[in-house]
Amino acid sequence: MGFFDGSRAGEAPSAGLDKGLAKTRTGFLGKIGRIVRGKKTVDEQVLDELEEVLVTSDVGVGTTLHIIDRIGKRVAEDRYVSTAELHGLIRDEIASLLLDDLPDRPAGFDAPLPNRPHVIMVVGVNGVGKTTTIGKMAHRYRDAGKSVLLGAADTFRAAAVEQLSIWAERADVSIVRQAQGSDPASVAYDTVASADSRGADVAIVDTAGRLHTRGGLMEELAKIRRAMTKRVAGAPHEVLLVLDASTGQNALRQAEEFTRSVEVTGLVVTKLDGTAKGGIVIGISNDFRIPVKYIGVGERIEDLRIFDRRAFVDALFG
Ligand SMILES: Nc1nc2c(ncn2[C@@H]2O[C@H](COP(=O)(O)OP(=O)(O)OP(=O)(O)O)[C@@H](O)[C@H]2O)c(=O)[nH]1
Ligand SMILES: [Mg+2]
């Protein structure tokens, strides 16, 4: 696998990511361009305006202040930083923020898994792209030669089981399902049990994004989790929280809420293709010490990328 991920025959390696981030890139660079137009050096006013651009690009207030502070310091040291250099300076700061003391790029789908079955639980509020992401992941694991079993533990919404079944068919993997309205924890248990007895490599469990109350949802997720652990010690080995980039600051709030209640091991940021709010990935990477593992850049089965921070910075700055 190359440095960039997700390329398919005939597609330039980073084309998907570049395209996926087009709106964010245009918005971000356009705004920075307007700030520095007609200016010779980076002064207080430029920094103020840059702060506003970062905040309105959904980078998040904390992360923005951090970036501004670092750029301010460099400008103070260097005195004559020209606006032409500002672009490179921001790029450097964002890159080091994303690249510093964070774990390496997540392993590829073809990497050996330490557990069998390797159990993944997928959580997030309704509509963020959980089921779609599961379909995409199943496809990638399957493509890498792994046997995959899906578990339809979103029994709350009428069409949810059917929707996951369609993805299972597309990805050519099996699914464990019960009737709508049945106990999600029981579906999760069955899925893990079946994966274990069949010797499946990967089990991915879908969950509901909405219950009658958010508190009820968190309790239910804990219950689903316990059911899996009961059958396979250590399961779930991964809990992926899916966040919709187009919801901007809401996604950050959801991340806070879920990471408080559920032991989230990785984040998936979806719908980067349709939004100018891709800056959210920067804020999330900085605010939460939980790695962004995958990003969604479209609705098709192949529109999932392993998140690569360096490739992301490159795509963001063109
Ligand atoms: N453009 C785009 N659309 C996406 C992406 N991921 C998911 N979607 C779309 O988002 C919508 C919701 O996706 P689902 O996978 O059903 O979301 P969910 O989290 O399972 O939703 P619930 O089951 O209601 O909780 C669908 O129309 C998907 O096609 C993405 O990366 N890009
Ligand atoms: Mg769903």
Side-chain angles (χ1 to χ4, degrees):
M1 199 186 309
F3 183 71
F4 292 97
D5 163 75
S7 59
R8 309 204 71 79
E11 187 185 345
S14 63
L17 185 55
D18 280 351
K19 247 186 283 161
L21 285 175
K23 286 196 180 153
T24 298
R25 179 175 50 239
T26 317
F28 195 55
L29 295 183
K31 285 183 205 162
I32 292 175
R34 282 192 286 279
I35 294 178
V36 299
R37 195 165 299 150
K39 296 239 173 64
K40 285 212 167 51
T41 58
V42 176
D43 54 18
E44 275 302 309
Q45 196 196 345
V46 168
L47 288 179
D48 280 352
E49 286 171 13
L50 177 61
E51 186 176 319
E52 201 185 317
V53 167
L54 291 171
V55 170
T56 57
S57 300
D58 281 284
V59 170
V61 176
T63 305
T64 295
L65 292 179
H66 191 87
I67 294 173
I68 295 293
D69 187 50
R70 285 171 59 149
I71 292 178
K73 281 200 182 105
R74 275 180 59 175
V75 170
E77 277 162 22
D78 272 338
R79 225 147 267 286
Y80 296 107
V81 174
S82 72
T83 49
E85 287 166 296
L86 183 64
H87 185 251
L89 214 62
I90 300 166
R91 186 186 190 292
D92 284 358
E93 290 305 332
I94 290 179
S96 69
L97 216 149
L98 282 175
L99 300 172
D100 280 357
D101 60 70
L102 273 166
D104 277 338
R105 178 177 191 279
F109 290 93
D110 52 355
L113 295 165
N115 312 284
R116 190 178 195 195
H118 180 73
V119 180
I120 305 169
M121 176 178 174
V122 178
V123 303
V125 307
N126 55 298
V128 290
K130 293 181 294 299
T131 306
T132 306
T133 300
I134 291 169
K136 294 170 178 175
M137 286 171 65
H139 168 67
R140 294 294 293 277
Y141 275 123
R142 174 94 169 80
D143 238 20
K146 294 190 160 67
S147 56
V148 181
L149 187 61
L150 304 185
D154 177 1
T155 59
F156 186 71
R157 194 165 56 81
V161 175
E162 209 38 59
Q163 197 191 345
L164 190 69
S165 301
I166 293 169
W167 277 109
E169 208 166 292
R170 272 184 206 150
D172 191 21
V173 301
S174 308
I175 179 171
V176 170
R177 51 184 286 182
Q178 293 178 10
Q180 190 218 323
S182 51
D183 178 15
S186 145
V187 179
Y189 183 92
D190 276 3
T191 307
V192 171
S194 175
D196 189 34
S197 58
R198 289 187 202 190
D201 295 309
V202 185
I204 314 176
V205 176
D206 195 11
T207 64
R210 175 172 34 197
L211 278 192
H212 304 287
T213 64
R214 193 66 73 80
L217 176 62
M218 296 303 167
E219 256 167 53
E220 175 129 308
L221 294 176
K223 208 174 133 210
I224 293 174
R225 191 191 173 97
R226 281 195 301 274
M228 292 193 254
T229 313
K230 213 184 284 173
R231 184 59 178 76
V232 169
H237 308 101
E238 282 186 61
V239 178
L240 297 180
L241 171 63
V242 181
L243 301 166
D244 173 349
S246 68
T247 64
Q249 295 306 300
N250 259 333
L252 280 169
R253 273 190 290 277
Q254 287 160 23
E256 274 166 29
E257 196 181 345
F258 274 81
T259 52
R260 227 185 294 127
S261 311
V262 192
E263 278 172 71
V264 177
T265 62
L267 304 173
V268 180
V269 182
T270 61
K271 309 191 195 180
L272 279 168
D273 52 304
T275 182
K277 294 177 185 291
I280 191 90
V281 177
I282 299 167
I284 283 177
S285 301
N286 187 49
D287 285 2
F288 298 90
R289 299 279 95 183
I290 301 168
V292 175
K293 194 165 184 198
Y294 306 118
I295 56 176
V297 292
E299 295 184 273
R300 298 168 312 161
I301 200 164
E302 59 270 25
D303 293 331
L304 185 75
R305 301 284 175 274
I306 291 178
F307 181 60
D308 181 315
R309 283 170 265 139
R310 197 175 296 275
F312 182 82
V313 172
D314 287 346
L316 191 61
F317 286 89

